[in-house]
Amino acid sequence: MEIVDAAETYLRHLAEVRRLSPATVRAYRSDLAGLAVACGDVDLAVVDLENLREWLWQAVQRGDSRATIARRTAAVRGFFAWATETGAVASDPSLRLVAPKRGRTLPKVATADALAGVLERLASAAAEGDPLALRDHAMLELLYGAAVRVSELCGLDVGDLDPERRTARVWGKGSKERVVPFGLPALRAVDAYLVRGRPVLVARRVDAPEAAALFLGARGGRIGPRAVYDLVSRELGPELGAQVGPHALRHSAATHLLDGGADLRAVQEMLGHASLGTTQIYTHVSSERLAASYRLAHPRA
């Protein structure tokens, strides 16, 4: 079996059996397509460790980041582990493939005051009654208030919200369902959008209306991640002095929860992290902020 054919079978396995997210499957498809180009149209069984090392070396020469190379390594390891289990290859050539260690980069985090200013500005714009302004305010309140991923936000249906309990049912990575809480400001913003904003956007849909989706685009269809990225970059970017996306609100929410004394396990559950180690990076962010405050304020720093 050639690499391209084997890769397509493997990617279907990831999507249909392991239920990995579409974004992860797309990334792995790109990685394995690069492997096929580097090795040529050869049978999967003839690929050896040197072929794989050469492929990674080409990525280094292009200037790919450590995180990208580490992901490529994970992709090819999973691919050949599956190929070995299914009998497509007799032995796994990726077992001795070593990925570079990822450098630890702390996420961009906005201060609570900065976020309060952004949300107050959006609330003022929403008060004018523009349906897109009402939607934008509600989306950012939920992104920060519930610490959800952008894919989870875009996937929300109206019926996923429980206003009485102030919770939302979201579908995370691997199609795992979880219920997350959100605060009164988010509830008020969403209520205003549902009453005064969403009906206007539904009416703009020229074909079948999007009956289920909570957040709609300007033409009445379910909103996509790109539109949310653009909104967050426009509103939050100037506060952080960098190009940021929706994950910055998730990072900020997690850090502020820990700063406020929330239990690390509770934050892990809210974020939907499979590993506590993933959540622990936010303790480093809190420690960095504490150290910075100490250096600025303590007379013996």
Side-chain angles (χ1 to χ4, degrees):
M1 185 183 295
E2 292 184 352
I3 296 174
V4 174
D5 295 332
E8 282 304 314
T9 305
Y10 172 61
L11 292 167
R12 284 197 299 272
H13 168 77
L14 293 183
E16 297 171 6
V17 179
R18 293 189 54 192
R19 306 294 295 274
L20 296 189
S21 72
T24 300
V25 175
R26 282 196 301 271
Y28 279 22
R29 173 172 279 109
S30 174
D31 294 337
L32 296 177
L35 175 66
V37 170
C39 295
D41 295 328
V42 299
D43 192 279
L44 186 63
V46 305
V47 178
D48 59 18
L49 179 59
E50 290 308 313
N51 295 136
L52 300 180
R53 284 174 172 168
E54 176 62 24
W55 171 60
L56 287 185
W57 176 244
Q58 291 174 8
V60 172
Q61 293 293 90
R62 285 196 305 270
D64 290 359
S65 69
R66 288 187 177 186
T68 297
I69 296 172
R71 190 201 67 222
R72 291 180 185 275
T73 306
V76 80
R77 281 177 174 166
F79 178 43
F80 276 99
W82 166 85
T84 304
E85 290 175 3
T86 57
V89 297
S91 60
D92 185 347
S94 70
L95 290 176
R96 292 171 55 203
L97 191 65
V98 179
K101 291 184 178 179
R102 295 192 188 195
R104 179 178 289 276
T105 57
L106 297 180
K108 293 281 186 182
V109 171
T111 65
D113 289 341
L115 278 173
V118 169
L119 293 169
E120 285 173 9
R121 185 170 67 247
L122 288 170
S124 297
E128 301 295 323
D130 178 76
L132 296 181
L134 287 160
R135 180 205 65 190
D136 292 347
H137 180 220
M139 288 197 304
L140 261 67
E141 285 282 10
L142 262 186
L143 278 171
Y144 177 52
V148 293
R149 302 177 177 93
V150 63
S151 59
E152 295 167 348
L153 180 87
C154 294
L156 279 173
D157 290 338
V158 175
D160 291 330
L161 298 183
D162 185 337
E164 291 186 5
R165 293 184 173 84
R166 271 189 258 156
T167 60
R169 184 178 69 246
V170 299
W171 297 89
K173 292 184 176 180
S175 297
K176 293 179 180 177
E177 179 185 350
R178 71 182 191 282
V179 175
V180 294
F182 56 86
L184 188 58
L187 177 63
R188 289 171 176 164
V190 171
D191 277 347
Y193 161 69
L194 287 173
V195 173
R196 295 187 289 143
R198 189 176 180 278
V200 178
L201 298 179
V202 169
R204 293 180 181 178
R205 184 77 183 236
V206 294
D207 52 4
E210 183 68 69
L214 175 59
F215 292 114
L216 304 176
R219 297 182 180 179
R222 184 184 293 273
I223 199 164
R226 183 71 264 168
V228 184
Y229 269 89
D230 291 342
L231 169 65
V232 174
S233 179
R234 182 174 67 248
E235 298 294 340
L236 193 57
E239 299 292 338
L240 293 180
Q243 185 174 1
V244 296
H247 233 60
L249 288 164
R250 182 170 158 90
H251 293 322
S252 300
T255 303
H256 297 163
L257 281 166
L258 290 171
D259 284 345
D263 178 73
L264 187 62
R265 289 282 184 186
V267 176
Q268 176 194 5
E269 183 175 346
M270 182 172 179
L271 296 179
H273 286 160
S275 167
L276 188 62
T278 307
T279 315
Q280 283 177 327
I281 190 172
Y282 299 110
T283 65
H284 293 282
V285 177
S286 296
S287 297
E288 286 287 319
R289 292 172 65 176
L290 174 61
S293 298
Y294 174 82
R295 288 192 294 269
L296 287 172
H298 198 289
R300 305 289 287 181

